[in-house]
Amino acid sequence: MALLEVHGVCKRFGTLEVLRGISFSLEQGKALAIIGSSGSGKTTLLRCLNFLEQPDQGIILVDNEVLFDAAHTSKQNENDIRRKRLNFGLVFQQFNLFPQYTVLKNITLARELMQRSSHGGLPQEQINRDARDLLQQMGLSGKENAYPHELSGGQQQRVAIARALNMKPKILCFDEPTSALDPELTGEVLRVVRSLAERKTTMVIVTHEMAFARDVADHVIFMDDGLIVEEGPPAEVISNPREERTRQFLARFSSEG
């Protein structure tokens, strides 16, 4: 059974139609890679999943719960959006760490605020311990008292991944997690994402790293002009695409690389 179901999602910005009826599903423990040119709608799709944008049409379900149905949702209140957003963790291109806080505080802050608002009883020491465990998993043991400016871009992105994981989301989303990194730092972030895939973390990964998508994803979607042009196993979509538009994209991509 699918953990995530997306049906007919459309999104417009004025007269510009960015998503034109996107539908797909994702099973628990699987990794989905979304590829496509800039402007194809990939990031907007992630923002709709994370309720940073509200679709104009469509239905989104997680774990059989309807999180969004355009036919029955006009304006959602902020508490509802916050609760639904907890199903997803989002790792941005630009890390988005708080420069004034230590690594540990960056990871624990959202969970502390959630505990406070829900009057939860989890002790601070447990929250800190969970964060340190994640830092160890990210290969960043001993960095909890460092500040973001003291870290490399790859280390900052790994802190951002730990922060997203600390909220225990059902689905972890990545928006081109290596695009802001120098090539030599890209590998360390991709290794972390690969290890998450091996642990059967459910993930949606928007990426321009074709070899990585081919090797790590269970399923690949190629988007163009707000549509899903082709989808299937990586060996088919990336290594042996059926659609001419997919072939053009991959040929241009390999020539650029």
Side-chain angles (χ1 to χ4, degrees):
M1 182 183 291
L3 176 64
L4 171 65
E5 296 176 64
V6 176
H7 301 286
V9 165
C10 298
K11 179 64 182 176
R12 290 179 296 276
F13 294 101
T15 59
L16 181 64
E17 207 171 4
V18 180
L19 299 176
R20 302 194 285 151
I22 300 294
S23 299
F24 66 91
S25 62
L26 178 62
E27 292 180 14
Q28 186 161 356
K30 300 294 186 182
L32 167 68
I34 303 178
I35 62 173
S37 303
S38 296
S40 59
K42 308 182 304 292
T43 293
T44 299
L45 175 58
L46 277 193
R47 289 178 65 83
C48 286
L49 291 180
N50 285 271
F51 297 95
L52 297 172
E53 302 286 353
Q54 180 165 307
D56 298 302
Q57 291 174 237
I59 301 171
I60 300 170
L61 300 92
V62 172
D63 219 1
N64 258 358
E65 179 190 357
V66 176
L67 298 189
F68 179 83
D69 183 348
H72 300 100
T73 305
S74 50
K75 186 72 176 168
Q76 304 185 86
N77 69 55
E78 195 56 41
N79 284 337
D80 276 348
I81 292 173
R82 265 200 295 267
R83 181 185 65 80
K84 293 171 180 179
R85 202 174 275 156
L86 292 174
N87 289 283
F88 299 91
L90 179 56
V91 179
F92 299 90
Q93 294 179 24
Q94 298 289 343
F95 327 137
N96 287 14
L97 299 177
F98 294 110
Q100 72 273 34
Y101 292 141
T102 64
V103 163
L104 187 69
K105 191 68 172 178
N106 265 282
I107 295 172
T108 61
L109 182 61
R111 198 160 162 200
E112 290 166 4
L113 293 172
M114 186 178 73
Q115 286 280 113
R116 208 171 298 156
S117 64
S118 63
H119 308 291
L122 201 62
Q124 184 66 42
E125 187 46 50
Q126 180 64 54
I127 294 175
N128 289 348
R129 193 179 307 124
D130 289 348
R132 289 191 182 97
D133 287 346
L134 283 167
L135 282 173
Q136 184 175 9
Q137 188 180 324
M138 296 296 121
L140 292 170
S141 292
K143 294 290 187 182
E144 58 257 41
N145 293 320
Y147 287 86
H149 74 272
E150 299 173 311
L151 304 178
S152 71
Q155 289 172 328
Q156 288 184 61
Q157 191 61 296
R158 284 183 279 156
V159 172
I161 295 170
R163 176 178 61 185
L165 285 170
N166 198 41
M167 297 302 290
K168 304 189 184 307
K170 293 178 180 176
I171 301 158
L172 189 58
C173 300
F174 294 88
D175 186 11
E176 302 207 13
T178 60
S179 66
L181 300 177
D182 294 333
E184 63 267 26
L185 298 177
T186 292
E188 65 188 59
V189 172
L190 294 182
R191 279 192 295 276
V192 167
V193 181
R194 186 187 299 268
S195 73
L196 292 172
E198 289 168 355
R199 292 186 177 95
K200 301 300 181 186
T201 305
T202 309
M203 295 186 286
V204 178
I205 309 163
V206 169
T207 183
H208 60 274
E209 300 283 346
M210 294 302 121
F212 175 75
R214 184 189 61 225
D215 295 343
V216 173
D218 298 290
H219 196 79
V220 174
I221 284 174
F222 169 62
M223 288 182 64
D224 184 54
D225 195 23
L227 296 167
I228 294 177
V229 174
E230 185 167 354
E231 64 175 307
E236 292 178 14
V237 176
I238 294 177
S239 304
N240 190 27
R242 296 185 309 274
E243 301 294 330
E244 177 60 27
R245 183 65 193 90
T246 316
R247 287 196 288 271
Q248 289 172 357
F249 167 75
L250 291 168
R252 190 180 78 240
F253 212 96
S254 52
S255 69
E256 287 173 357

